[in-house]
Amino acid sequence: GRLLVVPMDGSHWFTMQMVVEKLIHRGHEVVVVIPEVSWQLGKSLNCTVKTYSISHTLEDLDREFKYLSYTQWKTPEHSIRSFLTGSARGFFELTFSHCRSLFNDKKLVEYLKQRFFDAVFLDPFDVCGLIVAKYFSLPSVIFARGVFCDYLEEGAQCPSLPSYVPRLFSKYTDTMTFKERVWNHLIYIEEHAFCSYFLRTAVEVASEILQTPVTMTDLFSPVSIWLLRTDFVLEFPRPVMPNMVFIGGINCLQKKSLSKEFEAYVNASGEHGIVVFSLGSMVSEIPEKKAMEIAEALGRIPQTVLWRYTGTRPSNLAKNTILVKWLPQNDLLGHPKTRAFITHSGSHGIYEGICNGVPMVMMPLFGDQMDNAKRMETRGAGVTLNVLEMTADDLENALKTVINNKSYKENIMRLSSLHKDRPIEPLDLAVFWVEYVMRHKGAPHLRPAAHDLTWYQYHSLDVIGFLLAIVLTVVFIVFKCCAYGCRKCFGGKGRVKKSHKSKTH
Amino acid sequence: DKLLVVPQDGSHWLSMKEIVEHLSERGHDIMVLVPEVNLLLGESKYYRRKIFSVTYSLEELQTRFRTFGNNHFLPGASLMGPLREYRNNMIVVDMFFSNCQSLLKDSATLSFLRENKFDALFTDPAMPCGVILAEYLNLPSVYLFRGFPCSLEHMLGQSPSPVSYVPRFYTKFSDHMTFPQRLANFIVNILENYLYYCLYSKYEIIASDLLKRDVSLPSLHQNSLWLLRYDFVFEYPRPVMPNMIFLGGINCKKKGKLTQEFEAYVNASGEHGIVVFSLGSMVSEIPEKKAMEIAEALGRIPQTVLWRYTGTRPSNLAKNTILVKWLPQNDLLGHPKTRAFITHSGSHGIYEGICNGVPMVMMPLFGDQMDNAKRMETRGAGVTLNVLEMTADDLENALKTVINNKSYKENIMRLSSLHKDRPIEPLDLAVFWVEYVMRHKGAPHLRPAAHDLTWYQYHSLDVIGFLLAIVLTVVFIVFKCCAYGCRKCFGGKGRVKKSHKSKTH
């Protein structure tokens, strides 16, 4: 079949790329549409890659993202609102503007129209894929870790009860105290209120391209299949919809053997083994003071630490700590000598940790990372540190705890065995469902009828109102009848009393 | 591993049996708990049976089932329909209760089960005997279920079921309802709670006796995995939970070859082909007048009709109609010469019809059959007849319609291709999840935290009340302050007015 892919840049692409590669390998004609400037997109893809020019440079993108990630080390942005409208604002504005550039390229649009694709495979993060799907009226498959705001509820009609489903960024678990439930509600209400503000550029762009006013819900509701990088070993169980397919841990790959360089490091580590430390591909620098504290803590443990870091080398780096520009994370985590994993708790890293059964020390920075860390912590498989407040002692203690306290290893091994025990590999599942949508031109039989209801119909408010009106009418009539009956029966007395009163007056 | 199976006698057993046999082939040691008097729970090379005694005889069992089946042809007022249906169901349901009662009081059998250390329990929770037993034996459990009145699986599994687009059992509504239908659905939803109470409150008493503590039945269902015989080709899309696995069409297995007898019938049918007619394994007799009408209609079509019927031969049976005591339904439906399927629309038959792509004429009798028929009808893959009111002409027309009108064949073929296009066979999926529960001693990570909440917490009524109280307090205070402020500002005037008033008085 013919498939159009509209991906998202950055770490998002790592797992989506695996699916796209497999689809190409299976002989589908794949066209990937990307901006001409990007971090990761389009590299070494054996298919047609179409680029469109954009108005900003890679330096602009780098600067915005660095500002976003750097801010997290200095000033905390605790709520989704402060993050999305604070440090992340500029980054999102750049991202949302891509789609306008795509559609300004008339030749590209014409080319896409002529190709008669069977489906669109997209990352909804920058909204552009959704707009493309709607513009060309193509069935679509979403590939995502989750979506912002309440578009899982609105877009997929998936009920999400604030009583036990914690909101994104709330850092709550599925068991909340009364106070937490109140806050969870307030976050929900806040999301309702500010999301339209946050996404207004995206909606503007969409309305402009589609030449009709649209809402985010309009863009999400035609989606045929939602491939979600969720596994309920990590995520809390919650209501889901039949068109959601869970492929969490899609990156839990077969281990490859280590390169000589890393093999040497691991072998040299002796009985204590190694600790793997990476804050992900997106964070390149840490403020110097923080880096020194981290370096100090790492020097105090007997393990060898492999630290992926591209910033300036901290001056107090101990002998046991090896700085590398890049490391084969999954392969290292899979090595039996690996004792712990220091991670920013991005979802890819977390799933690799679960997959390989390595206890974690988590330093969440932004996005879903706080929530991921919270989930692993409640399952007793890791310790979370606050990057702003942590001292060298904190990090040292956290590392010693997860390494020496047997329960962490046991818990992560239990999660690992549950996670890996599945009837079908997530990658195969993802490929299957993309092909399914291509074969059948969507999956209309999985579309809930809830999409066709207004919000008050969905919640049966009209029915409740109607029944209430009936009950009240009946009560009213009965009451009136009784009152009338009473007056008839005791009519005499009543009148007597009245006249009595008027006399005393 | 050792698996205890607590089955539900009757047609429910048909699909469970297949899973059990498959598990046995994979080397598991399986014991099926069987009442000494039963219909279909025969001996088998695949499993051992543990037999317990019951208080009724085989004759009584057969009489009850026959009465239950035959009662569906009694004419009656539609207003009393639900009540009669309920009473009629109770003829059979009461017997299952007595059988459960006998089992839970049978101390010899219970201690035998205790001593046999099983790894898991596999049961049909329509009658919760197995559920109670799992609690008593402290075993992780897996349920195989199709759905029974009350939407048991969603009620007990905590999946939200908005009454606005999820039609309730027996309503015959689709997922697109008019206002009066939504109103009726809303009321039926309330009545379902009462029905649940009527059906299951007795079980709470015997469960409390056995477990020697106060038992609430829903609490026993919390840790299980639900294998549901659902497929959304047939079922309307709705919210579900992560611990629900969908196995609709598990009986759509590979076709066997027809025996010589049936092969001969099919070959003799010529270009017109055959029609397969069965009202399921539970209905043995049809009132004579009805049977004659059916026979007459069948005589009027050019196809050969294979009719599975164990009652008396109707005197007007035409030449093209062949009565058989049993027929290889799935194999016949899979034959390219089969033109239509006359069915009572039990879920097994419907799935076999979908699987083989045969348009259906449906004569629903009881249980989920009306709803099944409605679903196929809305998808344009069959015609529903009312068994009580239908005449020979109606049946004839219905048959000619589904055979000659191409759209029925096209629709059922489309459903069939969607239905059969799946990443993993339902039978393998069922086996996988039963083994999963045995391996991991249940699946606690799929248990939603909703089970730990009271109903008002679940719906956040306490939170809403609290927030409302705050808002009202604030409004009240603001109002009072304003009022006070106003009085201060315009105080003079007010007093003037008052004094003015008192003067005039």
Side-chain angles (χ1 to χ4, degrees):
Chain A
R2 287 179 300 273
L3 183 70
L4 176 61
V5 179
V6 187
M8 168 66 200
D9 201 3
S11 59
H12 282 229
W13 174 240
F14 293 151
T15 37
M16 191 168 183
Q17 184 180 12
M18 293 166 56
V19 182
V20 171
E21 275 171 357
K22 183 132 189 195
L23 285 162
I24 294 170
H25 185 72
R26 286 172 61 86
H28 297 290
E29 266 179 63
V30 177
V31 174
V32 182
V33 177
I34 55 172
E36 64 182 358
V37 175
S38 73
W39 291 310
Q40 316 283 355
L41 293 175
K43 282 176 194 160
S44 68
L45 265 183
N46 186 20
C47 69
T48 316
V49 177
K50 287 280 168 189
T51 57
Y52 55 89
S53 54
I54 48 177
S55 52
H56 58 82
T57 62
L58 196 59
E59 284 71 47
D60 295 332
L61 205 59
D62 276 338
R63 194 183 53 245
E64 285 297 348
F65 198 83
K66 195 176 274 175
Y67 172 64
L68 180 164
S69 61
Y70 215 70
T71 306
Q72 310 310 318
W73 295 93
K74 294 188 210 142
T75 43
E77 288 177 318
H78 283 309
S79 75
I80 182 164
R81 183 180 47 77
S82 58
F83 173 68
L84 292 179
T85 55
S87 64
R89 182 82 210 149
F91 174 68
F92 276 105
E93 288 298 319
L94 282 188
T95 311
F96 289 153
S97 74
H98 285 175
C99 216
R100 193 177 272 139
S101 309
L102 192 162
F103 279 90
N104 278 340
D105 190 340
K106 294 285 175 254
K107 257 173 79 184
L108 178 60
V109 173
E110 193 52 33
Y111 169 83
L112 296 177
K113 199 181 268 169
Q114 295 306 322
R115 291 299 299 251
F116 298 106
F117 292 102
D118 295 313
V120 184
F121 185 38
L122 63 98
D123 186 319
F125 191 85
D126 62 357
V127 192
C128 196
L130 297 167
I131 300 173
V132 167
K134 187 130 183 138
Y135 185 86
F136 295 109
S137 305
L138 291 172
S140 52
V141 179
I142 270 188
F143 184 90
R145 157 79 176 91
V147 290
F148 282 126
C149 302
D150 53 356
Y151 294 113
L152 206 60
E153 290 82 6
E154 296 281 328
Q157 291 295 343
C158 177
S160 171
L161 293 133
S163 51
Y164 77 100
V165 181
R167 305 302 304 173
L168 193 69
F169 281 69
S170 68
K171 285 177 258 177
Y172 295 144
T173 71
D174 58 348
T175 309
M176 291 177 263
T177 61
F178 179 74
K179 200 176 128 198
E180 286 172 338
R181 287 196 291 117
V182 169
W183 278 112
N184 203 41
H185 255 272
L186 292 175
I187 295 171
Y188 191 32
I189 295 168
E190 191 188 21
E191 279 178 21
H192 256 288
F194 102 99
C195 271
S196 53
Y197 167 73
F198 158 65
L199 289 163
R200 71 178 193 282
T201 312
V203 170
E204 259 171 42
V205 171
S207 303
E208 201 180 292
I209 293 167
L210 300 168
Q211 292 182 332
T212 168
V214 291
T215 62
M216 286 303 281
T217 312
D218 295 335
L219 294 175
F220 273 110
S221 59
V223 169
S224 296
I225 295 287
W226 297 64
L227 293 179
L228 295 173
R229 289 197 292 110
T230 296
D231 187 280
F232 292 99
V233 165
L234 171 67
E235 214 51 60
F236 300 117
R238 52 158 293 163
V240 298
M241 295 305 282
N243 62 348
M244 291 178 175
V245 177
F246 302 100
I247 50 165
I250 193 168
N251 52 330
C252 175
L253 296 169
Q254 288 288 314
K255 287 178 288 280
K256 291 185 285 268
S257 54
L258 292 171
S259 66
K260 271 206 188 126
E261 179 195 0
F262 287 100
E263 187 72 51
Y265 290 144
V266 175
N267 287 338
S269 68
E271 53 159 345
H272 288 297
I274 62 161
V275 167
V276 180
F277 180 11
S278 167
L279 295 181
S281 59
M282 309 292 284
V283 173
S284 46
E285 267 174 68
I286 301 175
E288 200 189 339
K289 216 181 127 220
K290 206 70 329 171
M292 295 210 18
E293 273 189 74
I294 292 174
E296 191 188 328
L298 297 179
R300 294 193 205 149
I301 59 166
Q303 282 76 20
T304 303
V305 181
L306 289 172
W307 183 2
R308 181 203 168 283
Y309 188 53
T310 53
T312 347
R313 183 186 173 89
S315 55
N316 61 341
L317 203 73
K319 270 191 205 155
N320 72 333
T321 311
I322 301 157
L323 282 198
V324 288
K325 296 267 176 235
W326 175 87
L327 49 76
Q329 189 168 288
N330 193 46
D331 304 336
L332 278 172
L333 290 175
H335 199 284
K337 276 202 165 181
T338 304
R339 297 285 178 268
F341 178 28
I342 310 176
T343 171
H344 64 310
S345 54
S347 63
H348 288 111
I350 289 276
Y351 278 120
E352 286 180 359
I354 295 175
C355 171
N356 294 299
V358 181
M360 296 173 232
V361 171
M362 294 164 289
M363 301 181 185
L365 293 170
F366 55 83
D368 59 349
Q369 299 168 3
M370 327 285 184
D371 294 308
N372 295 340
K374 187 71 198 178
R375 279 154 179 68
M376 293 315 290
E377 203 179 49
T378 50
R379 283 161 169 83
V383 171
T384 308
L385 294 173
N386 181 328
V387 286
L388 290 171
E389 294 165 10
M390 74 172 185
T391 61
D393 291 343
D394 292 335
L395 179 55
E396 181 195 349
N397 289 336
L399 277 167
K400 287 189 172 162
T401 308
V402 301
I403 294 171
N404 300 328
N405 185 339
K406 287 272 172 288
S407 76
Y408 286 91
K409 182 71 183 174
E410 280 164 23
N411 285 329
I412 192 84
M413 288 310 289
R414 185 176 50 77
L415 293 182
S416 183
S417 77
L418 287 170
H419 176 63
K420 287 192 285 188
D421 194 356
R422 48 196 163 199
I424 182 165
E425 281 305 306
L427 183 57
D428 296 331
L429 202 58
V431 167
F432 174 86
W433 283 106
V434 175
E435 290 182 344
Y436 184 95
V437 168
M438 289 161 70
R439 270 196 295 275
H440 301 288
K441 310 277 170 230
H445 66 293
L446 295 180
R447 179 180 186 273
H451 284 300
D452 305 325
L453 298 172
T454 61
W455 65 272
Y456 60 87
Q457 286 174 331
Y458 179 88
H459 294 289
S460 294
L461 297 183
D462 52 349
V463 170
I464 294 170
F466 179 74
L467 288 176
L468 219 59
I470 289 184
V471 169
L472 289 179
T473 312
V474 169
V475 167
F476 179 75
I477 291 172
V478 167
F479 179 78
K480 276 284 164 191
C481 287
C482 285
Y484 180 75
C486 285
R487 229 183 300 141
K488 276 268 164 191
C489 293
F490 310 105
K493 268 186 194 171
R495 231 171 285 141
V496 169
K497 256 188 193 163
K498 254 185 200 162
S499 60
H500 200 72
K501 253 187 195 165
S502 54
K503 255 180 206 169
T504 44
H505 194 66
Chain B
D1 292 356
K2 290 175 80 173
L3 181 68
L4 177 63
V5 179
V6 187
Q8 171 70 51
D9 201 1
S11 60
H12 286 218
W13 170 241
L14 296 176
S15 36
M16 186 176 245
K17 187 175 157 202
E18 249 173 78
I19 301 173
V20 166
E21 288 177 356
H22 210 73
L23 281 164
S24 161
E25 276 171 352
R26 288 173 58 88
H28 299 289
D29 180 10
I30 293 167
M31 178 166 287
V32 182
L33 199 53
V34 172
E36 62 177 333
V37 174
N38 65 68
L39 286 178
L40 299 174
L41 307 169
E43 271 185 59
S44 159
K45 63 174 177 169
Y46 293 104
Y47 47 81
R48 289 177 293 143
R49 297 192 306 166
K50 173 67 189 170
I51 293 170
F52 63 93
S53 51
V54 289
T55 52
Y56 48 84
S57 64
L58 184 61
E59 200 182 335
E60 189 186 346
L61 175 83
Q62 283 166 344
T63 316
R64 278 181 185 247
F65 267 105
R66 200 177 309 126
T67 318
F68 170 69
N70 293 350
N71 276 353
H72 295 105
F73 295 99
L74 291 180
S78 60
L79 199 62
M80 296 309 282
L83 188 64
R84 208 183 64 194
E85 167 84 23
Y86 172 75
R87 288 213 180 111
N88 196 24
N89 273 305
M90 293 317 275
I91 296 175
V92 174
V93 170
D94 279 340
M95 190 174 57
F96 289 130
F97 175 71
S98 122
N99 137 0
C100 183
Q101 218 171 7
S102 312
L103 171 64
L104 297 186
K105 281 185 179 154
D106 186 342
S107 51
T109 304
L110 288 180
S111 66
F112 171 85
L113 294 176
R114 261 199 323 271
E115 282 153 20
N116 268 276
K117 303 258 178 267
F118 294 101
D119 292 295
L121 185 145
F122 186 31
T123 189
D124 184 322
M127 295 299 135
C129 215
V131 176
I132 298 168
L133 209 56
E135 181 76 10
Y136 175 73
L137 299 171
N138 201 10
L139 291 176
S141 53
V142 190
Y143 304 151
L144 179 70
F145 198 55
R146 160 67 184 95
F148 196 61
C150 316
S151 317
L152 205 62
E153 68 278 30
H154 300 295
M155 191 186 234
L156 300 173
Q158 296 283 6
S159 28
S161 311
V163 287
S164 48
Y165 77 100
V166 180
R168 294 306 191 254
F169 248 86
Y170 283 112
T171 55
K172 289 179 255 177
F173 296 153
S174 82
D175 58 349
H176 286 88
M177 291 179 265
T178 60
F179 182 78
Q181 286 177 331
R182 289 195 290 114
L183 189 67
N185 205 41
F186 186 89
I187 293 167
V188 171
N189 181 51
I190 296 169
L191 295 178
E192 272 186 349
N193 290 314
Y194 179 67
L195 181 63
Y196 177 81
Y197 173 80
C198 292
L199 285 174
Y200 297 112
S201 56
K202 292 180 291 188
Y203 284 93
E204 274 188 359
I205 299 166
I206 55 175
S208 302
D209 276 354
L210 179 71
L211 302 170
K212 306 211 164 37
R213 62 181 164 89
D214 273 339
V215 173
S216 105
L217 206 51
S219 72
L220 304 184
H221 293 79
Q222 288 179 3
N223 294 310
S224 192
L225 211 58
W226 296 80
L227 305 183
L228 297 172
R229 292 201 292 109
Y230 267 41
D231 188 279
F232 292 98
V233 163
F234 170 56
E235 218 61 57
Y236 301 119
R238 50 153 299 146
V240 295
M241 297 303 281
N243 61 350
M244 295 175 174
I245 314 294
F246 304 103
L247 310 173
I250 193 166
N251 46 332
C252 173
K253 60 176 174 192
K254 278 209 178 116
K255 288 178 282 282
K257 273 194 82 170
L258 290 174
T259 59
Q260 270 186 346
E261 181 195 0
F262 286 100
E263 188 72 50
Y265 290 143
V266 175
N267 287 337
S269 68
E271 53 159 346
H272 288 298
I274 61 162
V275 168
V276 180
F277 179 12
S278 167
L279 294 181
S281 56
M282 309 295 279
V283 173
S284 46
E285 270 172 65
I286 301 175
E288 202 189 336
K289 213 179 128 223
K290 202 69 352 184
M292 289 193 41
E293 273 189 77
I294 292 174
E296 192 188 326
L298 297 179
R300 294 194 205 148
I301 59 167
Q303 282 76 19
T304 303
V305 181
L306 290 172
W307 183 1
R308 181 205 167 278
Y309 187 53
T310 53
T312 351
R313 185 185 171 88
S315 55
N316 62 340
L317 203 72
K319 270 191 204 156
N320 72 332
T321 311
I322 300 157
L323 281 197
V324 288
K325 296 268 175 235
W326 174 88
L327 50 78
Q329 187 167 292
N330 195 42
D331 303 338
L332 279 173
L333 290 175
H335 198 284
K337 279 204 166 181
T338 304
R339 298 285 179 267
F341 179 29
I342 311 176
T343 171
H344 64 309
S345 54
S347 63
H348 287 109
I350 291 273
Y351 276 120
E352 286 178 1
I354 295 175
C355 170
N356 294 300
V358 181
M360 296 174 232
V361 170
M362 295 165 288
M363 302 182 185
L365 295 171
F366 58 88
D368 57 354
Q369 297 167 5
M370 327 287 184
D371 295 307
N372 295 344
K374 183 71 198 176
R375 279 157 175 67
M376 292 316 291
E377 206 179 46
T378 51
R379 282 162 173 81
V383 171
T384 309
L385 294 173
N386 181 327
V387 281
L388 295 177
E389 292 165 12
M390 72 173 184
T391 62
D393 291 343
D394 292 337
L395 180 54
E396 183 197 346
N397 289 336
L399 278 168
K400 288 189 171 161
T401 308
V402 301
I403 293 171
N404 300 328
N405 185 338
K406 288 271 172 292
S407 76
Y408 287 90
K409 182 70 182 178
E410 278 163 24
N411 285 327
I412 192 84
M413 288 310 290
R414 187 177 47 79
L415 294 181
S416 182
S417 76
L418 287 170
H419 175 64
K420 286 194 285 190
D421 194 358
R422 47 196 164 200
I424 182 167
E425 279 306 304
L427 185 58
D428 296 331
L429 202 58
V431 167
F432 174 86
W433 284 105
V434 175
E435 289 182 345
Y436 185 95
V437 166
M438 291 198 271
R439 271 196 295 274
H440 300 289
K441 307 280 165 227
H445 67 292
L446 296 179
R447 175 184 181 274
H451 288 300
D452 305 325
L453 299 173
T454 62
W455 64 271
Y456 60 87
Q457 286 174 331
Y458 176 84
H459 294 289
S460 298
L461 297 183
D462 52 348
V463 171
I464 293 169
F466 176 74
L467 291 177
L468 218 58
I470 289 184
V471 169
L472 289 180
T473 313
V474 169
V475 168
F476 180 75
I477 290 172
V478 167
F479 179 77
K480 277 283 164 191
C481 287
C482 283
Y484 181 75
C486 285
R487 226 181 305 141
K488 275 270 165 192
C489 291
F490 310 104
K493 269 187 193 169
R495 231 172 282 141
V496 170
K497 256 186 194 165
K498 253 183 200 164
S499 59
H500 201 72
K501 257 185 197 167
S502 52
K503 257 181 203 168
T504 43
H505 193 66

